[in-house]
Amino acid sequence: MKVDIAQVEDVARELYIRALKILPPDVKSGFERLAASESDATARGVLGTMITNIRVAEQTENLLCQDTGIPIYNVTIGRGVEVDGAELERAIRRGCERATREHPLRSSVVHPITRRNEHTSCGPGVPPIHFGFSDAEGLTIEMVPKGSGSENNSWLKMALPAEGIDAIKTFVIDCVLDAGGKTCPPTIVGVGIGGTSDLCVALAKRAATRALGTKCPDAEGAALESSLTGAVNTLGVGPQGLGGDSTAFAVHVEVAATHITMNPVAVNMQCHSARRASACFTPAGVEYGF
């Protein structure tokens, strides 16, 4: 299957706008689940306001949040796909720029030293475009706008192997407490374990942007997800940091093998507006989803 580069540009543009306006069904279900189990009256009121905001934004085709975030694109190339990788990257960048200029969207992207804003949501190294490969047919592009409120709350610890699982749990709990309401909870707490320092941080981001209801493919990682989710929701941070049981939708864990003398742990959080959108290119056409 040969991928139409012009179509990629259009899809990259559309995905950015969709991600900012339509919250994935799993996140909506997450809100319903938390609202049904929340014991604090103030927290229930805050969750209700959030749910209303989601409904009004979608009904009026407005943005779920004013922060358009750092635009991130994840590309998965399946079997039999014919595409020029360099052209694919350029098309995604053009689509991102067009979404910002044509919709228009607020550009939140600036040069890190001069702070100059080109008003394209693009700049050196942005949007980051990550490539992966699959045995499935077709090509999939996922778009994740990552807001600064959650991204500013990111941590890496090179723990000692002798400290074991307790060091991981303590670190995650400390990070959630340190973040407090700054991440606009309820959050998805992404935890990366293992690898090298850079891989560990990437794993945490992958975990934070996974769909709710998914589990770590590693059995030990999945067990840790369950225990940490329960622990985090006893901390009393609550929605928007105002107290309650609903600090996190879930804790997600991703793992990688590491060195015998290392035990890297990273935490990256996703805010309550856990936005993402995807499109799959197949011989039958383009199918949008989450």
Side-chain angles (χ1 to χ4, degrees):
M1 184 190 79
K2 187 171 184 178
V3 176
D4 183 339
I5 291 298
Q7 192 175 36
V8 168
E9 181 180 326
D10 290 339
V11 167
R13 175 192 181 278
E14 179 66 16
L15 285 177
Y16 199 175
I17 297 168
R18 282 175 177 255
L20 293 173
K21 290 187 172 185
I22 307 171
L23 201 64
D26 58 280
V27 183
K28 294 177 185 176
S29 296
F31 268 109
E32 293 172 2
R33 175 175 51 82
L34 290 181
S37 63
E38 178 58 62
S39 64
D40 184 89
T42 299
R44 286 197 301 271
V46 174
L47 288 171
T49 299
M50 291 177 170
I51 293 169
T52 300
N53 175 73
I54 294 165
R55 183 177 66 252
V56 171
E58 292 186 350
Q59 288 175 345
T60 59
E61 297 188 355
N62 276 306
L63 305 190
L64 291 157
C65 175
Q66 83 282 356
D67 187 354
T68 55
I70 290 279
I72 302 168
Y73 290 87
N74 301 315
V75 181
T76 305
I77 301 174
R79 291 188 179 275
V81 172
E82 182 182 342
V83 64
D84 183 320
E87 284 296 327
L88 181 65
E89 281 191 315
R90 286 191 282 267
I92 291 173
R93 185 183 180 98
R94 289 195 300 268
C96 182
E97 291 176 344
R98 283 181 52 202
T100 306
R101 287 175 167 160
E102 295 173 7
H103 186 268
L105 304 175
R106 185 191 82 179
S107 175
S108 301
V109 176
V110 299
H111 189 280
I113 299 173
T114 66
R115 312 306 291 181
R116 178 178 172 83
N117 191 329
E118 301 292 343
H119 301 288
T120 61
S121 294
C122 296
V126 174
I129 303 171
H130 307 293
F131 289 91
F133 301 90
S134 169
D135 287 329
E137 294 184 354
L139 179 144
T140 301
I141 301 176
E142 179 189 52
M143 195 281 155
V144 180
K146 192 66 162 61
S148 66
S150 59
E151 190 67 7
N152 277 332
N153 292 277
S154 303
W155 298 264
L156 171 68
K157 177 182 176 66
M158 303 304 287
L160 297 175
E163 295 174 321
I165 194 71
D166 288 343
I168 295 171
K169 291 180 176 180
T170 299
F171 180 64
V172 173
I173 295 299
D174 286 347
C175 290
V176 174
L177 288 172
D178 187 28
K182 293 179 289 186
T183 51
C184 292
T187 63
I188 301 173
V189 182
V191 181
I193 306 171
T196 55
S197 58
D198 56 330
L199 175 55
C200 191
V201 171
L203 290 172
K205 174 68 66 60
R206 186 188 306 169
T209 54
R210 257 176 38 206
L212 290 173
T214 59
K215 291 186 177 182
C216 177
D218 179 87
E220 296 298 327
L224 185 58
E225 288 178 333
S226 179
S227 63
L228 280 173
T229 298
V232 162
N233 283 327
T234 65
L235 297 177
V237 175
Q240 295 296 331
L242 298 175
D245 311 315
S246 306
T247 300
F249 293 114
V251 177
H252 288 171
V253 173
E254 292 286 334
V255 303
T258 191
H259 193 276
I260 57 173
T261 63
M262 292 164 47
N263 192 29
V265 188
V267 172
N268 181 268
M269 294 189 182
Q270 178 64 297
C271 67
H272 72 269
S273 189
R275 302 164 294 178
R276 67 180 193 277
S278 68
C280 184
F281 293 74
T282 70
V286 177
E287 180 179 348
Y288 286 96
F290 299 97

